[in-house]
Amino acid sequence: MRIARGLDELAELKQTVREGNDPEATGRQHARGKLTAHERIGLLLDEGSFHEVEPLRRHRATGFGMEARRPHGDGVVTGWGTVHGRTVFVYAHDFRVFGGSLGEAHAAKIHKLMDLAASAGAPLVSLNDGAGARIQEGVTALAGYGGIFVRNTRNSGMIPQISVMLGPCAGGAAYSPALTDFVFMVRGISQMFITGPGVVRAVTGMDVTQDDLGGADVHATTSGVAAFVHDDEETCLEDVRYLLSLLPANNRELPPRVPTDDPADRRTDRLLDLVPPDPRIPYDMRAVIREIVDDGDLLEVHEGWATNVICALARLDGHVVAIVANQPATMAGALDIHASEKAAGFVQTCDSFNIPLLTLVDVPGFLPGLDQEHGGIIRHGAKLLYAYCNATVPRVQLILRKSYGGAYIVMDSRSVGADLSFAWPINEIAVMGAEGAANVIFRREIEGADEPELMRAQKIKEYQNTLIHPYYAAERGLVDDVIDPRDSRSTLIQALAMLRTKHAEVPSRKHGNPPM
């Protein structure tokens, strides 16, 4: 009987921990349009797979009335479960308990979970909805954040780390998501900032709302902090599940392959109509990517930020591939500061997790301008160059139309280590476009001619025939083959299949020193 009573008490206690002992707090959470921690975990993980860790832990703080308020769990739910049958670790702030703020016990639970994830070699997802450091616990709470930051850094490149912002995240708390691989945000309920509207108003005199300062759309389009943004929690967590299906469990594994009915030898006839042969006419590179990848399906990262370059995860013949592509529909696809940063971070992340790189090139060069030069385009462009040069995964380049100047080199050319490079018959690879080159090389002849425009046209054609014809780079071994655009999918699949067993020796060093 004693055992039976004990089991009843345990079941009642765990139900109280799960549902909360304050129905009004749950009601307030729902009234804000937000789910509870356990509801969120239920959407993220496979049904019935969650195993909670330390649900009964309580804080030991005293003073400020804390000794009278010692709820179990201490404002964070931690544990593991599965996503599509694969192990995933998760912690979720419970805003109903101390506003999800972090104290000593709260932090200790997260530290333990992060260590378990590292030991098990499985992804870690954080569902963030907390009010920052618990003021009543002082510096102890701040030290708890330090422990999270050092584990984020230690686990970087070893296990995928995903941050899902489902509430406020202010001050030093914002640095943990910034240290992870991918950040998701939800419009209307997610905010991230170092100093809040009150501090901004006091220091600058500027009135700004939380959303205008650090809302989802701000970080998705302006700062580049958020990789994905959604309108509601349900679709957000569904996309987290999708992303996890494209990532390996850790850096020692390959991404999971899934069977596909899309034939590997499918001809991509539509590409002939999608890409205009005139290099000055824009088009949407997304349509090209959809035509090449399995079932036209891709997950674009940072879709709203630095839109002149596309970074996406997709599959070719069931195998995950990372795609970096210039976007001629925006700024003619030129590289600038933000595009370089965006692509560099994506290349580095995918290289960490053994995801092959496919680079689709249609680039007129780096964006010229005083703001770009003063903003450090040299330094930021070098980040992308460094990321590619440092990558050891299979790397395949496909040049669709133009590829000029330093941007040609930076977009994973053979000269910086691409394993294979292919080009379409309309490709133009050169230091610059024919018109600009002719104006420089033949300036005196053009200016001294009786008919300067006629002479300019002749010299442009001469330069094109000599240095920019489609086979110039192939004749010198800088392009492995010039292919029919309709064979793009099958060519890329065959190339990546051959490179699947690639092994690259890395230098013996503590770590590289990339441009920051």
Side-chain angles (χ1 to χ4, degrees), residues 18 69 73 112 124 133 172 183 210 242 256 258 295 300 316 336 367 371 383 393 516:
R18 185 165 51 253
R69 300 176 60 203
K112 179 174 183 175
L124 174 69
V183 175
Q210 287 193 350
Y242 181 31
V258 298
D295 304 308
E300 190 170 346
L316 281 171
D336 66 349
L367 184 69
D371 59 334
K383 294 179 182 179
V393 293
M516 302 296 285

Side-chain angles (χ1 to χ4, degrees), residues 35 150 178 198 204 214 275-276 290 319 339 408 416 427 441 475 490 493 499:
L35 302 175
V150 76
T204 69
V275 182
R290 290 193 179 99
H319 294 277
Y408 156 70
V416 298
N427 80 83
I441 298 173
E475 290 170 359
S490 59
I493 287 174
L499 291 166

